[in-house]
């Protein structure tokens, strides 16, 4: 499968989104995308070739000093993070061999340099990453899910040392997506088993656990509206209430898939719309309240649109 990333931007009606750019520089599949919090940079997990970086405005590919990607395994997920002390962003990504890598802008040029690379003790694939927007002035707080059914909470200190806060092993659930609860808990969504749980962020104690009425391939949370949406691995994306019983609110239908592969889903426009991929070349944008299709974005004539990333600040959305 050839890689090409499309950048879309919100525009005036009747066409709600418009194509901004097409980025092509890699012949493999992309399993991770992340737009920086300021909307300026795009990070793409280029398989075993590590992370590729673009300046979104200039469309230029940037360089980084991370040179050991062939030893770390395929990039599996990526996020951008900041602390309260500084606006400088840190790129954090995980790999299929259990490595977590941190990159940050050099003080002398625009290159992102590696500041920390660590293989977690289990050595299993990192399946999801999350950073706390309330990270202290000194430490960056990171939540990591791994294939061996473990949730790790880590901190990266000012000396670029990664330290463990706690790790908790889930009995039957492989974490695929994680999110923060308004009441300082951590939401965890299980890959394929339909399990949704809330953990204490102090020690990982399970406070709530429900079984959704659909499989979970990927999930996104919008706490302000008390909802989450999952890729149901059958006919589209299903909306649930965070404080519900596992009964679906509605389904955003994209049709029966030709192949069952996890597809990312996200909220946009302050939770008013739901954005998700498909296996037939389209990106779907739904109205959350009604489930109606607002717009479909053409990514390719056919093929899997598995990975998306959205940026609330710029109105941009990127997909592969």
């Amino acid at each position: 499968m050839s890689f090409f990333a499309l950048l879309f931007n919100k525009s005036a009606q009747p066409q709600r989104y418009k194509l901004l750019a097409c980025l092509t520089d890699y012949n493999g599949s992309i399993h991770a995308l992340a737009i920086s919090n300021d909307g300026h940079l795009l990070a793409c997990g280029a398989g075993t070739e590590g992370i590729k970086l673009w300046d979104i405005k200039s469309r230029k590919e940037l360089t980084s000093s991370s040179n050991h990607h062939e030893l770390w395994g395929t990039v599996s997920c990526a996020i951008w993070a900041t602390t309260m002390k500084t606006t400088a962003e840190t790129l954090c990504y995980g790999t299929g061999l259990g490595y977590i890598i941190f990159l940050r802008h050099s003080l002398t040029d625009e290159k992102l340099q590696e500041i920390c690379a660590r293989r977690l003790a289990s050595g299993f694939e990192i399946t999801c990453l999350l950073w706390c927007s309330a990270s202290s002035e000194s430490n960056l707080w990171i939540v990591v899910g791994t294939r061996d059914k473990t949730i790790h909470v880590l901190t990266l200190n000012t000396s670029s040392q990664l330290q463990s806060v706690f790790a908790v092993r889930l009995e039957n659930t492989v974490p695929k997506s994680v999110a923060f609860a308004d009441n300082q808990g951590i939401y965890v969504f299980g890959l394929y088993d339909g399990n949704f749980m809330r953990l204490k962020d102090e020690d990982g104690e399970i406070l709530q656990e429900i079984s959704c009425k659909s499989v979970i391939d990927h999930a996104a949370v919008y706490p302000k509206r008390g909802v989450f949406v999952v890729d149901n691995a059958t006919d589209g994306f299903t909306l649930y209430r965070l404080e519900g019983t596992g009964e679906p609110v509605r389904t955003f239908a994209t049709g029966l898939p030709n192949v069952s592969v996890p597809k990312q889903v996200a909220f946009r426009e302050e939770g008013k719309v739901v954005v998700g991929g498909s296996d037939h070349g389209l990106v779907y944008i739904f109205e959350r309240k009604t489930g109606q299709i607002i717009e479909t974005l053409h990514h390719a004539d056919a093929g899997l649109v598995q990975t998306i990333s959205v940026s609330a600040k710029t109105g941009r959305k990127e997909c592969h």
Side-chain angles (χ1 to χ4, degrees):
M1 181 187 299
S2 295
F3 158 70
F4 64 102
L6 297 183
L7 284 165
F8 296 91
N9 197 21
K10 189 178 179 184
S11 63
Q13 297 286 1
Q15 184 182 2
R16 196 156 177 166
Y17 290 82
K18 64 180 180 180
L19 178 65
L20 288 181
C22 178
L23 307 174
T24 58
D25 191 37
Y26 175 60
N27 292 322
S29 297
I30 294 292
H31 299 290
L33 290 169
I35 297 174
S36 60
N37 298 292
D38 61 13
H40 295 161
L41 300 176
L42 171 66
C44 301
T48 55
E49 293 188 16
I51 282 283
K52 288 184 174 291
L53 299 161
W54 274 274
D55 182 290
I56 291 177
K57 185 176 181 180
S58 68
R59 316 288 191 259
K60 291 182 179 179
E61 185 176 355
L62 307 178
T63 58
S64 75
S65 63
S66 183
N67 298 316
H68 307 288
H69 47 77
E70 69 278 0
L71 303 176
W72 293 335
T74 301
V75 176
S76 55
C77 47
I79 55 172
W80 292 89
T82 60
T83 65
M84 296 173 65
K85 184 177 182 179
T86 176
T87 58
E89 297 204 45
T90 299
L91 175 62
C92 173
Y93 68 95
T95 75
L97 294 180
Y99 285 89
I100 183 168
I101 298 97
F102 296 85
L103 303 176
R104 189 174 290 163
H105 275 299
S106 167
L107 296 177
T108 57
D109 55 38
E110 289 300 311
K111 179 184 293 187
L112 267 74
Q113 61 182 4
E114 177 191 316
I115 60 171
C116 179
R118 170 87 64 83
R119 192 180 195 188
L120 299 185
S122 63
F124 283 80
E125 176 192 1
I126 293 178
T127 54
C128 50
L129 289 170
L130 175 68
W131 71 283
C132 179
S133 59
S135 293
S136 70
E137 292 187 359
S138 57
N139 295 333
L140 184 63
W141 209 68
I142 301 286
V143 180
V144 184
T146 51
R147 179 70 66 171
D148 63 337
K149 306 175 185 177
T150 302
I151 294 291
H152 306 259
V153 175
L154 311 165
T155 59
L156 184 72
N157 64 24
T158 53
S159 299
S160 299
Q161 296 174 324
L162 196 62
Q163 300 170 321
S164 176
V165 178
F166 69 82
V168 58
R169 183 80 178 268
L170 307 176
E171 185 175 353
N172 298 308
T173 297
V174 176
K176 177 56 180 176
S177 302
V178 284
F180 284 115
D182 283 343
N183 55 0
Q184 299 183 336
I186 300 171
Y187 293 125
V188 178
F189 301 88
L191 177 63
Y192 300 133
D193 62 6
N195 283 346
F196 160 66
M197 60 187 68
R198 181 165 58 90
L199 311 181
K200 286 180 65 174
D201 60 3
E202 296 176 349
D203 56 13
E205 177 188 349
I206 298 176
L207 301 175
Q208 175 192 16
E209 185 172 6
I210 63 174
S211 180
C212 297
K213 301 302 181 183
S214 63
V215 171
I216 298 175
D217 272 356
H218 188 268
V221 175
Y222 202 84
K224 290 182 179 179
R225 298 189 182 273
V227 293
F228 66 93
V229 62
V230 306
D231 170 20
N232 63 31
T234 53
D235 61 349
F237 308 98
T238 302
L239 186 74
Y240 293 91
R241 300 193 188 282
L242 287 170
E243 300 301 326
T245 60
E247 294 292 331
V249 176
R250 66 181 52 85
T251 293
F252 309 98
T254 61
L256 296 176
N258 296 316
V259 58
S260 182
V261 178
K263 297 177 290 296
Q264 287 186 340
V265 61
F267 288 101
R268 281 283 291 111
E269 300 183 26
E270 298 181 345
K272 295 178 182 177
V273 304
V274 171
V275 182
S278 71
D279 73 338
H280 45 269
L282 296 179
V283 178
Y284 286 83
I285 302 175
F286 298 92
E287 185 177 34
R288 178 185 56 82
K289 282 188 175 182
T290 65
Q292 297 297 310
I293 295 176
I294 296 173
E295 194 167 346
T296 57
L297 307 177
H298 180 266
H299 181 270
D301 292 333
L304 183 63
V305 184
Q306 183 178 11
T307 312
I308 64 171
S309 178
V310 300
S311 171
K313 285 192 175 183
T314 65
R316 293 189 178 96
K317 180 181 66 61
E318 200 278 345
C319 62
H320 164 63

